[in-house]
């Protein structure tokens, strides 16, 4: 990832939750984003199959009210930081039994952005005084998301 991308990633976490992350956190973040994207798309595939479709549409992906609100938060923040192209590039599209519609593909960076906002704010819920997340904080946040998504 380029230096510019890393600085946007750092700025994003500072803006959303007052956190100082560095390039070493980027691997954890990338793992989180790709794992949760896979989970959401896997559920989307199950919904599409259950409805007799051979393509995953945006409405198949299970977006909760809270995640939808974080997606809106991300869109507002993205206007300033312009992180969406980086998220689009770094998000792995898992190979599933069904293909994604173009609309689903186009929505993925915003979904990842919403997950990112939720992740950053989760750190602050875990520890309101946290400034620099450590391995323990990342693991706790991942566990919370694994329980819910």
């Amino acid at each position: 990832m380029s230096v510019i991308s890393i600085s946007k990633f750092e700025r994003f976490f500072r803006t959303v939750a007052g956190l100082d992350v560095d390039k070493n956190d980027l691997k954890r973040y990338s793992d989180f984003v790709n794992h949760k994207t896979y989970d959401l798309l896997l559920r989307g595939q199950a919904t599409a199959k259950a409805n007799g479709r051979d393509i995953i549409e945006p409405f198949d992906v299970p977006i909760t009210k809270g995640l939808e609100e974080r997606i809106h938060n991300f869109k507002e923040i993205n206007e300033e930081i312009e992180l969406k192209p980086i998220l689009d590039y770094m998000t792995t599209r898992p190979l599933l039994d069904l293909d994604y519609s173009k609309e689903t593909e186009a929505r993925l960076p915003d979904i990842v952005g919403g997950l990112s906002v939720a992740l950053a704010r989760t750190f602050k819920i875990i520890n309101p005084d946290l400034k620099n997340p450590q391995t323990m904080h990342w693991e706790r946040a991942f566990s919370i998301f694994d329980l819910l998504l």
Side-chain angles (χ1 to χ4, degrees), residues 1-10 26 83 86 89:
M1 185 169 270
S2 73
V3 173
I4 293 172
S5 299
I6 293 169
S7 68
K8 285 185 178 191
F9 164 74
E10 292 169 343
L26 192 55
L83 193 61
I86 297 166
Y89 172 77

Side-chain angles (χ1 to χ4, degrees), residues 87-145:
L87 294 179
D88 189 34
Y89 172 77
M90 71 182 284
T91 304
T92 303
R93 271 67 167 173
L95 294 176
L96 300 174
D97 295 339
L98 302 182
D99 288 328
Y100 312 116
S101 70
K102 289 181 182 183
E103 294 83 7
T104 301
E105 284 275 347
R107 186 151 160 82
L108 283 178
D110 287 333
I111 292 171
V112 171
L115 287 169
S116 301
V117 170
L119 174 65
R121 292 185 179 164
T122 298
F123 285 125
K124 285 300 199 172
I125 292 170
I126 292 170
N127 182 346
D129 299 323
L130 184 66
K131 292 295 180 201
N132 187 348
Q134 301 300 309
T135 301
M136 147 182 82
H137 302 110
W138 285 93
E139 289 171 353
R140 287 179 184 167
F142 289 9
S143 293
I144 290 168
F145 278 86

Side-chain angles (χ1 to χ4, degrees), residues 22-128:
D22 56 35
K23 67 179 184 178
N24 296 324
D25 291 317
L26 192 55
K27 170 73 169 110
R28 290 182 188 122
Y29 170 73
S30 178
D31 289 347
F32 168 80
V33 163
N34 287 307
H35 181 73
K36 289 295 114 194
T37 300
Y38 174 78
D39 289 349
L40 290 171
L41 291 172
L42 190 62
R43 293 303 315 141
Q45 175 179 264
T47 300
K49 283 183 175 182
N51 288 301
R53 289 191 312 282
D54 60 355
I55 194 162
I56 302 169
E57 296 291 347
F59 50 81
D60 293 320
V61 182
I63 304 297
T64 63
K65 176 184 174 281
L67 181 53
E68 188 65 43
E69 290 170 358
R70 300 305 73 78
I71 290 169
H72 289 297
N73 296 149
F74 169 73
K75 288 178 180 179
E76 293 168 3
I77 295 164
N78 186 57
E79 289 179 16
E80 177 185 338
I81 299 176
E82 298 178 2
L83 193 61
K84 188 174 176 175
I86 297 166
L87 294 179
D88 189 34
Y89 172 77
M90 71 182 284
T91 304
T92 303
R93 271 67 167 173
L95 294 176
L96 300 174
D97 295 339
L98 302 182
D99 288 328
Y100 312 116
S101 70
K102 289 181 182 183
E103 294 83 7
T104 301
E105 284 275 347
R107 186 151 160 82
L108 283 178
D110 287 333
I111 292 171
V112 171
L115 287 169
S116 301
V117 170
L119 174 65
R121 292 185 179 164
T122 298
F123 285 125
K124 285 300 199 172
I125 292 170
I126 292 170
N127 182 346

